[in-house]
Amino acid sequence: MIRVGSVALQASKTLQYKIGIAKASYYIGHAYHQQHQYDSAILYMSQAIAHFDPKRDLDRLGAAYNIKGICQKNLADYTKALESQLNAIRYFESAKDTSGLIISLNNLGILYNDQEKLKEAEKYFNEALTFAESFDDPYMMVTTQSNIGMNLHSQNRYKEALAVFEEVLAFDLKDGNAYEIGAWFNNVATGHLKLKNYAKALALVDS
């Protein structure tokens, strides 16, 4: 992807083809993000942002700012990450891109969670949940619920967290995702343990 994108980027620059520069930069930046090369990803996402049309490419700008913000968070540059995610939300709102909006609201919550600003994180996770409830994508819904559950657990609100964990586990059992099922069995067991429901916790560990 990086090699092909670099060829496309060079050709677009030669032709002064602005949207071509933007798209190629985005794809290269996305590839670097997936490889955890965050500085390079930020560089190319910034180039993409500079070349996308702010009136026509609203959803693309939202996506570029979102990935840029994730990379900045992973480098612990929380101030710039916040700025990027807020820009992502602004463009997704303008584009009426509900899916993108849910993703960025979740990422904004994760950004605050990583800084142990748990109440701020909860606010954005709940905003994401409001949109997810009206959006026909069960995976987006369960991703948001997962974040809410972990946030509540971090706030020592174990009873509330356990209720969310059980909803997520029920979804994963229906979906048949073995890896996720194992992880959420463990989370539900931990929730019962925190509430001193020792028999239930032991039964889940043994299941």
Side-chain angles (χ1 to χ4, degrees), residues 36-40 42 69-78:
H36 309 294
Q37 297 185 46
Y38 300 124
D39 286 318
S40 295
I42 291 167
I70 293 170
C71 293
Q72 289 164 328
K73 177 195 74 77
N74 290 338
L75 293 172
D77 192 345
Y78 297 122

Side-chain angles (χ1 to χ4, degrees), residues 40 66 91 103 115 161 177:
S40 295
N66 175 57
Y91 280 111
I103 290 168
Q115 300 173 79
N177 186 325

Side-chain angles (χ1 to χ4, degrees), residues 18-133:
K18 192 172 182 181
I19 190 62
I21 295 171
K23 288 181 177 179
S25 298
Y26 176 86
Y27 290 127
I28 295 169
H30 192 279
Y32 276 125
H33 166 239
Q34 291 181 319
Q35 294 178 16
H36 309 294
Q37 297 185 46
Y38 300 124
D39 286 318
S40 295
I42 291 167
L43 177 67
Y44 281 97
M45 283 300 167
S46 297
Q47 186 166 272
I49 288 164
H51 287 86
F52 279 131
D53 189 316
K55 293 182 179 178
R56 291 182 302 188
D57 299 319
L58 300 173
D59 54 344
R60 289 170 174 161
L61 279 162
Y65 271 117
N66 175 57
I67 292 176
K68 184 178 179 181
I70 293 170
C71 293
Q72 289 164 328
K73 177 195 74 77
N74 290 338
L75 293 172
D77 192 345
Y78 297 122
T79 300
K80 289 183 180 178
L82 174 61
E83 182 182 347
S84 292
Q85 288 300 347
L86 290 174
N87 276 320
I89 288 168
R90 177 166 59 90
Y91 280 111
F92 284 137
E93 285 178 335
S94 297
K96 295 181 171 56
D97 184 340
T98 304
S99 175
L101 188 56
I102 295 167
I103 290 168
S104 268
L105 285 168
N106 270 300
N107 284 330
L108 196 50
I110 291 167
L111 172 63
Y112 280 116
N113 237 30
D114 281 7
Q115 300 173 79
E116 297 186 358
K117 297 179 178 180
L118 301 178
K119 285 294 184 183
E120 291 94 331
E122 182 183 5
K123 171 191 170 186
Y124 288 106
F125 289 143
N126 283 329
E127 282 188 36
L129 184 64
T130 298
F131 285 104
E133 286 173 340

